Amino acid sequence: MMPPRRTGAAAALFAAALAACAGAGPGPRVIAATGPAYEVPAKAAGEAVAPITQPAGRGALVLEGGGRSADEANRRIVALAGTDPHLCLIDVTPAKPDGAAAGPSQLYRKFNDYSGVRMHVLALGDADVENPGVVAVLRSCNGYFFNGGDPQRFSDLFLEGGGDTAALAAIRERFERGGAVVSGSSAGAMLAGSVTLCECGAQSSVAALTEGKLFQAPGFGLVEGVLVDAHFFARGLLGRHLFALARNRIPFGVGIDERTAVVVPGDDGWWEVIGEGHVAVIELPRAATVESLGDFRFSLLSAGDRFDPVRRAFRIAASRPLLERADAPGATPATIDGLFMATRIETLLARLVDGQAAEAVGSAAGGAIRIRFRRADDTLVFGRGDDHSIIRLRLGIERS
């Protein structure tokens, strides 16, 4: 049977992708196409990745914070796809038929340096998520990668009437019962929870805290009781994240920065931080509301650290020694303005780690927002400088 014809921007996108793949020069050769999917054959040359065999049952998740991809995250995705890695790389087309096509998909390049990896690249539109040919391709894969983009568009496309479309049902089946790895970057990672936040701009924290504006949509629910956020420190998303935890009564927040990823094992064990940046782990206090955002527990983790959101437990990499507490009574708290600007939160926390004060205070919106980090009796600090981890700071927001 001939694959269905595609129209509008989605057709243009697919045709451009095929042209890019079939033409002369570097790039994959199309050997099969089903609707919006094209296949990239495995390369014999390239970096070999040792497989991590996954038993039947629930697979692992690799959730990236966006920006430039960390090599370790790419390798882990390939490894978790097993001895014969076959990855489905998923993008979405514009919601409007007359929307501008994004051009040829270059998703395959994320894994182009690895040998033995077969790939299907899919640019899906409204008609494709119920297409039997697309569903068959998705069922053939043992690993999935959701690209970045508009979280609202991903949610609207894959979820329909409160349930899964045929495309998402196929992926969920392979993930829940077939041990397939599911991964994503930016929006593709944020969809893992039951709620995804849809506005990742630099002003989203200020808008949430001063105007109560929060844009969100249903997520895929691959993990329960956790809000996953991306671009966390690069875009200053802490404020809107705390607001979202309180509004939705989600007990646990994970904020992943760029060039960083979190690996979630299929057995609900220890979540692992990999990559080059930091991950924020935030625990919602029972008394917190959107009007009273106080007494959160905040931890900052680095590569090699692990955490368990069920048991609220942490394992810090052995390379970071535990530091003796060196608070000096009366020491002036570290401060910083423009807290939601890129990397300012990390800078403030580094000053707290290296200083003698028990508190650090950041401000935003001309001083109308103040966030106070405070050491408590159970706060622990490991390592120094950029290579540090902090467990169980207290965190509260003051607004005027």
Side-chain angles (χ1 to χ4, degrees):
M1 179 181 294
M2 292 291 290
R5 282 189 70 184
R6 298 176 53 77
T7 59
L13 176 60
F14 180 50
L18 290 179
C21 293
R29 174 177 60 86
V30 175
I31 60 175
T34 304
Y38 65 85
E39 186 173 353
V40 183
K43 294 174 57 178
E47 180 181 342
V49 177
I52 302 174
T53 303
Q54 297 296 293
R58 185 179 174 88
L61 293 163
V62 181
L63 307 176
E64 299 184 56
R68 180 173 58 84
S69 182
D71 291 339
E72 177 59 25
N74 296 340
R75 294 189 190 96
R76 192 68 64 93
I77 294 166
V78 172
L80 289 166
T83 56
D84 182 22
H86 182 189
L87 302 180
C88 277
L89 313 181
I90 301 166
D91 210 340
V92 296
T93 60
K96 296 181 180 180
D98 59 348
S105 174
Q106 300 294 306
L107 265 180
Y108 71 89
R109 294 189 181 277
K110 179 176 174 65
F111 302 100
N112 203 38
D113 293 336
Y114 305 100
S115 64
V117 182
R118 293 182 294 137
M119 291 175 273
H120 266 92
V121 183
L122 301 96
L124 303 181
D126 294 333
D128 304 317
V129 291
E130 301 293 343
N131 182 328
V134 169
V135 173
V137 169
L138 292 170
R139 285 178 176 157
S140 72
C141 287
N142 47 31
Y144 304 90
F145 177 81
F146 287 91
N147 200 19
D150 180 359
Q152 182 77 56
R153 175 61 175 151
F154 275 98
S155 177
D156 291 345
L157 186 65
F158 283 94
L159 295 168
E160 189 172 50
D164 293 352
T165 58
L168 185 55
I171 296 169
R172 195 183 301 277
E173 172 74 14
R174 295 286 296 125
F175 170 67
E176 294 284 359
R177 300 186 183 182
V181 58
V182 174
S183 60
S185 179
S186 186
M190 292 161 60
L191 288 154
S194 59
V195 170
T196 181
L197 301 180
C198 298
E199 170 53 52
C200 296
Q203 292 299 310
S204 60
S205 283
V206 173
L209 295 176
T210 61
E211 304 174 52
K213 290 183 178 180
L214 186 68
F215 300 94
Q216 64 183 54
F220 294 166
L222 303 178
V223 292
E224 296 181 0
V226 179
L227 177 67
V228 179
D229 221 340
H231 305 284
F232 197 72
F233 296 108
R235 299 187 185 178
L237 302 181
L238 174 63
R240 72 93 183 261
H241 191 90
L242 300 179
F243 189 90
L245 290 176
R247 171 176 283 185
N248 293 283
R249 306 310 303 170
I250 299 174
F252 209 78
V254 176
I256 310 169
D257 204 30
E258 297 178 357
R259 310 180 317 280
T260 311
V262 170
V263 181
V264 183
D267 61 2
D268 294 325
W270 293 94
W271 297 28
E272 179 186 1
V273 178
I274 61 175
E276 303 171 29
H278 294 115
V279 169
V281 176
I282 303 167
E283 301 172 53
L284 175 73
R286 292 182 180 180
T289 67
V290 293
E291 292 81 20
S292 178
L293 297 170
D295 206 32
F296 289 83
R297 290 190 177 192
F298 177 97
S299 299
L300 184 78
L301 304 184
S302 301
D305 295 340
R306 298 171 185 263
F307 62 99
D308 184 333
V310 176
R311 291 182 290 171
R312 302 292 194 268
F314 299 88
R315 290 179 178 173
I316 303 303
S319 61
R320 297 182 193 94
L322 175 64
L323 301 183
E324 292 186 11
R325 188 157 181 166
D327 296 358
T332 302
T335 61
I336 198 167
D337 295 327
L339 185 66
F340 299 134
M341 295 174 64
T343 72
R344 291 292 181 94
I345 296 170
E346 291 171 299
T347 300
L348 181 63
L349 293 174
R351 292 176 182 174
L352 178 62
V353 168
D354 293 335
Q356 294 183 316
E359 291 188 347
V361 182
S363 64
I369 300 170
R370 293 174 302 281
I371 296 187
R372 189 179 303 274
F373 295 91
R374 175 176 57 85
R375 294 179 190 251
D377 290 342
D378 58 348
T379 299
L380 301 174
V381 178
F382 302 80
R384 287 191 180 276
D386 292 334
D387 186 24
H388 62 261
S389 302
I390 313 171
I391 304 302
R392 300 189 189 94
L393 286 170
R394 299 303 189 267
L395 166 60
I397 295 182
E398 303 162 4
R399 289 167 284 187
S400 58

